[in-house]
Amino acid sequence: MVSPPTSYSRLVDGLELPLPLAGHPALELCNTRAGWGEPEPKEYLGSTEHLAVLARACGLVSQAELDGLRGLEAEPDVLRRTLAFREALYEVCLDPRPGPAWDAVAAEAERAACAASLRPDGWALPLDPELPLLAFARAAGELLASPHVPIRRCPGHGCGWLFLDPRGRRRWCTMATCGNRAKARRHAARARSSRGA
């Protein structure tokens, strides 16, 4: 049974996925976990099907490629590697210095670059169970190699989502959720404080 979407999620092909708020596919992958650093984070990547549908929703694979992936046998190792890649990528996006996380992201991005072939319509990745991971790794490599656009972490309680902040004015993943919840908490705290005075 599919759970109904929350204010942070949407249904795509019958699967619950996070809202696309980050401004870049690599960051959308990071945002498949909500509550980074929390004891019980919300996990959106429950299967390789979630990963493939997310890659399609982010424009990294075509509908024809998604249909082709559905005809292949799933490889559990792909999901395990994707979750490890996501963990390292999240760390690198917040602190892009050389180290183990950078090496892990670079290794997957280099694998994606090596797997790509040049076709008349551009670069293409092979249609195999690794395709969504390779597509996200390639997108991450492009993001990290591009001119620096500030990446912010939402300070909302139970969130931690990442997003691009080209104007330097964005604080929340979305004002309608994390921003308003923070306002409500501050208002409640002020009301309790004034009653106690």
Side-chain angles (χ1 to χ4, degrees):
M1 181 175 165
V2 176
S3 60
T6 66
S7 57
Y8 289 96
S9 66
R10 63 193 170 136
L11 289 180
V12 181
D13 288 357
L15 300 174
E16 185 183 16
L17 292 176
L19 289 174
L21 303 169
H24 193 279
L27 302 181
E28 301 296 357
L29 177 66
C30 290
N31 293 350
T32 56
R33 174 185 286 169
W36 284 91
E38 298 289 325
E40 294 182 25
K42 165 74 174 166
E43 181 60 66
Y44 289 96
L45 276 187
S47 68
T48 54
E49 176 76 2
H50 285 86
L51 177 62
V53 170
L54 178 69
R56 172 66 185 113
C58 289
L60 297 179
V61 302
S62 67
Q63 185 63 49
E65 287 170 320
L66 176 59
D67 293 340
L69 286 168
R70 287 177 168 150
L72 301 175
E73 187 174 333
E75 292 184 15
D77 187 57
V78 172
L79 184 60
R80 182 195 59 75
R81 284 181 40 226
T82 301
L83 295 176
F85 173 73
R86 179 186 68 180
E87 189 90 23
L89 179 59
Y90 188 87
E91 184 178 329
V92 166
C93 286
L94 295 176
D95 185 9
R97 291 184 289 183
W102 179 271
D103 293 344
V105 170
E108 288 292 356
E110 289 164 15
R111 285 184 73 253
C114 291
S117 58
L118 184 59
R119 297 182 185 165
D121 58 344
W123 291 99
L125 292 166
L127 183 62
D128 67 34
E130 284 190 315
L131 173 59
L133 170 57
L134 294 173
F136 278 111
R138 184 172 67 177
E142 290 168 358
L143 173 66
L144 296 172
S146 66
H148 183 67
V149 174
I151 297 172
R152 303 277 185 244
R153 179 184 190 276
C154 181
H157 177 73
C159 186
W161 277 2
L162 302 180
F163 52 87
L164 294 179
D165 186 20
R167 294 188 193 101
R169 294 183 291 190
R170 187 173 169 190
R171 179 170 182 202
W172 308 101
C173 63
T174 174
M175 190 64 200
T177 52
C178 285
N180 284 342
R181 288 176 184 173
K183 278 185 177 179
R185 278 193 296 277
R186 286 194 303 269
H187 177 74
R190 282 194 300 271
R192 282 191 303 272
S193 153
S194 64
R195 283 194 303 267

